[in-house]
Amino acid sequence: MKILVINAGSSSLKYQLYDMTDESVLAKGLVERIGMDSSILTHKPTGRSEVTEVSEILEHTTAIRKVLALLTDPDHGVIGSVDEIEAVGHRVVHGGEFFSESALVDGDVKSKIRQLFDLAPLHNPASMMGIKASEANMPNVPQVVVFDTAFHQTMPEHAYLYAIPRVLYKKHKVRRYGAHGTSHDFVSKTAAEFLDRPLEDLKIIVCHIGNGASITAVKGGESVDTSMGMTPLEGLMMGTRSGDLDPAIVPYVMNKEELTVSEVNSMLNKHSGLLAISGISSDMREITEGMQNGDANSKLAFDMYEYRLRKYIGSYAAAMNGVDVIAFTAGVGENSVVLRQKVCENLTYLGVELDEKLNEVRSGEPRRISSANSKVQVLVIPTNEELVIARDTHRIVQGSKS
Ligand SMILES: Nc1ncnc2c1ncn2[C@@H]1O[C@H](COP(=O)(O)OP(=O)(O)O)[C@@H](O)[C@H]1O
Ligand SMILES: CC(=O)OP(=O)(O)O
Ligand SMILES: [Mg+2]
């Protein structure tokens, strides 16, 4: 079965085409700047050279039409016809309390995703655009949705409630939901397999640090706490997101700077984090380079990022009354030798002992970076959210046929 996996953002659309007979990726790509003057489509058929097209792509339906055209193109394509795509899997960030599992898309599922627009204004409308665009271009193909929040539905009440009037939870569903669950789930399972130990016995802290960043306490295979909250703004400092802050800052700044709700949201989501503190970039590569070249603001941004991550690791060790495994994943977690080193340097009280040589190894495979004596196994586990989405889609579509 060939499955197209789609991760739609408000102005972007990432895709991967899988052949599920061997879980191989036939092609992948990215459409950027949808709705802007020159959109860029980058398409990479596996084992062949990448193609880039610049054109005007005003909305997601056109974006998917162009992707399908490239997937079937005589020169750059990997399939003979769109009919070969038997299912589409979509990443949806917010499933609220409706979804603790992936689901086959129908009218009810779409209505629930729509009801969650208010809780995830930056993410869910974009996912819905991706679903509608796929339905328009592939009307008879089953669509499956895989939620970032689903894995975290096991969190206990004391972890997911905010200490605010309970009526806000009852009326408006104000609570913590978390995100990146697909990755936290995959990485914790892969860590247990890598160590050849039963997942049920392990206390694992997964640090998913990429563009968006979140950290999860996984006990016995279940999420017991996670750093993202009602929206993906809470928790760690990120590329452009503030992470945790005193909530009183929001009304204070709105008042002083005469900001609207949308302006303050934009400030916290798009103009904060590494970008705000460094004044240079939201990209950890540039921050590290700036720091190594003596730029004080880059060093401060790095130090704040590392310090906050380390504090969360300590608090999740407390949440689980111990930790057996710390797993680093996503763009920064998989690649930043210096970030991992600085974090681990200050976790000796937990029994963490980093092996500096192992930490410097670069590979796309799961690997251990702690020393043989370390009480806590520190691992780097490359995440693969798209593969999980493809597997869930495959399972659900097969199940719906039988
Ligand atoms: N070699 C590296 N060193 C440090 N950070 C890196 C490196 N490579 C990638 N990154 C970071 O990873 C981030 C992207 O992470 P990724 O998980 O791909 O994000 P997303 O999937 O959310 O777009 C980049 O913004 C960059 O900061
Ligand atoms: C939920 C979230 O933060 O997603 P991303 O990492 O793709 O920005
Ligand atoms: Mg990501």
Side-chain angles (χ1 to χ4, degrees), residues 157-168:
E157 218 175 14
H158 67 255
Y160 73 65
L161 281 183
Y162 291 109
I164 56 175
R166 298 211 41 187
V167 64
L168 294 172

Side-chain angles (χ1 to χ4, degrees), residues 7 14 91 180 208-212 241 274 282-286 288 329-337 362 383 385-386:
N7 181 354
K14 290 187 202 162
R91 175 193 185 202
H180 297 134
H208 174 109
I209 43 180
N211 250 331
R241 285 173 243 172
L274 287 175
S282 61
D283 190 317
M284 186 51 97
R285 283 167 289 206
E286 289 181 46
T288 312
T329 193
V332 180
E334 289 166 33
N335 296 299
S336 180
V337 173
R362 295 196 179 269
T383 194
E385 290 155 288
E386 291 76 15

